[in-house]
Amino acid sequence: MEKDVSIGLLGLGVVGSGVIQIVEEHQEELVHQLGCGVKVDKVLVRDMEKARQIEINHDLLTTNSDDVLANADIDVVVEVMGGVDTARKYILEALKAKKHVITANKDLIALHGPELEKVAQENGCDLFYEASVGGGIPLLRGLSDGLVSDRIQQVMGIVNGTTNYILTKMDKEGQSYEDALQKAQELGFAEADPTADVEGLDAARKMVILARLSFFTNVELDDVDVVGISNVSATDIDYGKKLDLTMKLIGFASRQDNQIDVSVEPTFISKTHPLAAVNNEYNAVYVSGENVGETMFYGAGAGSLPTATAVMSDVVEALKNMLLGVNGKQFVVPRFKKELTPADKRFSQFYLRLKVKDETGAFASISDLFNQLGISFERILQTPSNGDFAEVIVVTHQASSENFVKAMKQLDQLDVVESVESHYRVEGDA
Ligand code: NAP
Ligand code: HSE
C-alpha cells in the first residue's frame, strides 16, 4: 500500500490503550509486514475529559460515533468498548460502510457472531476476533489455521484470567475470595461487572466461540452448562491439596459421535496435568485432535498489551487480505447440525464432600447407594469425628453425569447423611 492505513478505535480503556501503544511503539514491525504505516485516525470514547492511561493527542478523541463509522479515511474499525447492543449496532454500521472490523468482544461474538459474520461476508469485509478468547494467546488462528486438517475431539481450558487469578491466590497464598477479586479488578483483568467472570459467564461465552471453531457447529450460550466459582470454599481447596488436586474454573467442549457437550465449572485437576500449573491471570487451552494428539496453547489471558497484541494481529491480517484482495472470507463456516450429548453419555470423575453421622454402618450405606448406580470410589478421605459428625471426601472413578446426579439426589434422602457439602468434576487422571 502506498499510503498509511487508518484505523478507528471504538473505546480507549484497558485494551484500546494497548492498541495505541503498539501502533506507536511497534510501527517498524508493522511497516515491515505491510509495506506501509498504520495510524489511528479517531477514537470514540464516552468522556472526553477523563484521565487516560496513555498520552494521546486530544484531537483524536470524539464522542460522535460517525467520526469513526462514517469516516471515509478509516479502513479498519477496532471495537474495544465492550457491551452488546451498542457494539453490535456500531459493528453492523461499520461493516455496511465496507470497513473491516476487529473486536475483542466475546459477549457480542458469542451472542451475535453468526449474524455479524454473515453481514461481513455480504459486504466483502473481514470480521476477526482473535482477542475475544485467551487474551494474547494466538488461539483462534491456532485452531482454525494450525489444526485446519485435523478433527478436534476435545477442548479443555482455563479461559478466564480473573477466576484463575482468584483461585491461585486462594490456593497458594491463602487469600480470601474477596481480596483476590478486588486485586484482579485493580489489575484490569476483571470485566466492568465481575459477576460475569466469577459466575462463569465470561468463560461460557469464550467456550461458545471455541466450540464453534473446533466443531463447525453453531453452538449457542444456552447450550452451555455453567457453574461459577463464587461458592468454592477454602475447605475444598485444602482437601484438594491433600488429594493432589488443584481447583480451576475449566471450560470443556467435546465432540463424540457428532454430539457436542460444552460446559464451564469449577473442576479439580490432577496436579500432574499441565493445566494444574497454569496460575494467576494466565490462560491455557488443552486441545485433543485426532491426528495432532494433545497440544496446549498457553499465555496471558487478559491485560492491556497481551490483548492488544491479539487485536493488532487481526488488524495486520485484515490489511494483508486487503493487499491480496481476499477480504470477506468467513472465519468459521458451520458444517454440522447441532446435537447435544445426553447426560448418560457424559463421563468424568467426581469429588464429593459429605457431612455424615459418625455411627456404625454410615459409610456402608453410602457405598451401597453408589454401588447400585455402578459408581465406584477411587479415593476416600475421612476426617476425625467432630462430635456427632465426620466429614467424608470421596473421589469416584469415571461415572456418567446422569448417574452422579441421581446419586446426589438419593444421598440427600439417606438418614446417615447430614448434608452434601460440595461436589466437583475431577479431570486429569486423579
Ligand atoms: P474498558 O477498560 O472498560 O474500556 C472501555 C472503553 O470503551 C472506554 O474507553 C469507554 O470510554 C469506551 N466506551 C464504552 N462504552 C462506550 C459507548 N457506549 N460509547 C463510547 N465509548 C464507550 O474495557 P476493556 O477492558 O478495554 O475491554 C474492552 C473489550 O475487550 C471488552 O469487550 C472486553 O471484554 C474485551 N477484552 C478485555 C480484556 C482485558 O484484559 N481487559 C481482554 C480480552 C478482551 P470512556 O473511557 O470514556 O469511559
Ligand atoms: N475478564 C476477562 C478475564 C478478560 O478475566 O479473562 C479477558 O477476556
Side-chain angles (χ1 to χ4, degrees):
M1 275 175 269
E2 285 157 18
K3 65 178 188 64
D4 286 357
V5 284
S6 293
I7 63 179
L9 280 187
L10 304 175
L12 185 61
V14 176
V15 184
S17 303
V19 170
I20 298 280
Q21 203 177 326
I22 292 175
V23 168
E24 279 174 7
E25 295 175 8
H26 288 204
Q27 192 61 218
E28 204 182 313
E29 285 73 16
L30 297 171
V31 172
H32 178 71
Q33 284 299 318
L34 297 166
C36 68
V38 175
K39 64 185 171 77
V40 175
D41 249 24
K42 269 292 168 205
V43 182
L44 180 74
V45 291
R46 270 181 302 215
D47 177 357
M48 297 282 284
E49 304 314 320
K50 186 169 164 181
R52 300 287 160 190
Q53 294 156 15
I54 43 149
E55 272 187 34
I56 184 161
N57 176 355
H58 201 263
D59 293 344
L60 291 184
L61 304 186
T62 179
T63 52
N64 180 356
S65 60
D66 283 348
D67 291 344
V68 176
L69 304 173
N71 185 332
D73 293 333
I74 287 176
D75 304 295
V76 179
V77 170
V78 173
E79 185 276 304
V80 280
M81 51 186 257
V84 173
D85 293 339
T86 310
R88 172 176 168 270
K89 176 174 169 285
Y90 288 168
I91 287 179
L92 286 172
E93 268 183 57
L95 292 171
K96 286 176 186 165
K98 312 278 182 213
K99 298 183 193 307
H100 308 297
V101 172
I102 311 305
T103 175
N105 192 331
K106 59 265 167 171
D107 311 17
L108 179 67
I109 294 297
L111 286 175
H112 298 293
E115 175 206 13
L116 297 175
E117 298 237 30
K118 186 163 169 280
V119 175
Q121 209 183 17
E122 285 165 2
N123 286 280
C125 290
D126 286 340
L127 170 72
F128 294 142
Y129 40 89
E130 178 65 67
S132 64
V133 187
I137 308 170
L139 175 59
L140 303 195
R141 281 209 183 77
L143 290 175
S144 62
D145 290 350
L147 299 180
V148 65
S149 72
D150 207 355
R151 292 189 194 119
I152 295 175
Q153 295 155 323
Q154 192 192 52
V155 176
M156 167 168 145
I158 296 167
V159 291
N160 182 270
T162 303
T163 47
N164 204 38
Y165 182 87
I166 295 170
L167 292 173
T168 304
K169 295 294 173 198
M170 286 173 74
D171 184 3
K172 307 241 177 278
E173 296 173 22
Q175 278 191 26
S176 71
Y177 171 89
E178 290 76 18
D179 286 353
L181 170 58
Q182 192 186 335
K183 187 74 182 157
Q185 287 179 284
E186 284 163 21
L187 290 168
F189 309 142
E191 298 300 305
D193 175 2
T195 316
D197 293 298
V198 296
E199 294 307 339
L201 194 55
D202 177 80
R205 289 163 175 155
K206 290 166 178 169
M207 291 312 296
V208 164
I209 297 170
L210 290 182
R212 281 182 193 150
L213 254 73
S214 302
F215 307 137
F216 299 93
T217 307
N218 267 339
V219 175
E220 289 163 83
L221 207 49
D222 281 349
D223 301 325
V224 188
D225 288 333
V226 190
V227 182
I229 67 160
S230 55
N231 290 324
V232 171
S233 69
T235 310
D236 283 313
I237 290 179
D238 286 345
Y239 280 128
K241 282 185 190 160
K242 293 194 174 94
L243 294 161
D244 285 331
L245 298 171
T246 305
M247 179 65 78
K248 299 285 179 192
L249 184 71
I250 298 286
F252 297 91
S254 65
R255 177 173 62 184
Q256 214 186 352
D257 303 332
N258 284 331
Q259 291 177 321
I260 307 275
D261 173 30
V262 190
S263 63
V264 170
E265 58 192 294
T267 301
F268 270 127
I269 298 283
S270 162
K271 281 220 159 83
T272 54
H273 192 281
L275 285 175
V278 177
N279 288 321
N280 297 317
E281 75 275 24
Y282 280 85
N283 282 193
V285 176
Y286 196 77
V287 180
S288 310
E290 204 173 288
N291 292 333
V292 76
E294 291 177 352
T295 176
M296 187 157 101
F297 298 82
Y298 169 86
S304 182
L305 287 174
T307 309
T309 299
V311 167
M312 286 309 295
S313 83
D314 280 347
V315 170
V316 169
E317 185 75 11
L319 295 177
K320 280 184 176 171
N321 286 349
M322 269 170 75
L323 284 169
L324 296 169
V326 293
N327 299 101
K329 304 259 183 302
Q330 217 167 319
F331 207 1
V332 52
V333 183
R335 284 173 54 203
F336 301 109
K337 190 167 167 290
K338 182 176 65 190
E339 202 186 318
L340 300 178
T341 315
D344 64 338
K345 286 175 71 184
R346 284 189 256 133
F347 287 87
S348 74
Q349 290 182 260
F350 295 93
Y351 161 105
L352 177 66
R353 178 159 63 94
L354 303 172
K355 189 172 170 192
V356 297
K357 287 189 184 146
D358 197 11
E359 60 187 38
T360 317
F363 193 77
S365 332
I366 295 166
S367 87
D368 273 357
L369 187 158
F370 278 83
N371 273 342
Q372 279 162 27
L373 289 164
I375 302 174
S376 56
F377 296 157
E378 187 188 87
R379 300 173 75 178
I380 299 158
L381 202 70
Q382 177 160 358
T383 59
S385 165
N386 171 18
D388 296 335
F389 297 104
E391 230 168 10
V392 171
I393 291 96
V394 159
V395 178
T396 71
H397 282 292
Q398 293 276 335
S400 72
S401 293
E402 186 184 43
N403 280 348
F404 189 72
V405 169
K406 278 186 194 159
M408 291 304 96
K409 284 194 185 135
Q410 293 178 21
L411 274 175
D412 255 353
Q413 334 238 296
L414 276 190
D415 256 4
V416 293
V417 175
E418 176 71 7
S419 55
V420 176
E421 296 288 291
S422 59
H423 57 85
Y424 296 104
R425 183 168 172 162
V426 176
E427 287 288 333
D429 205 10

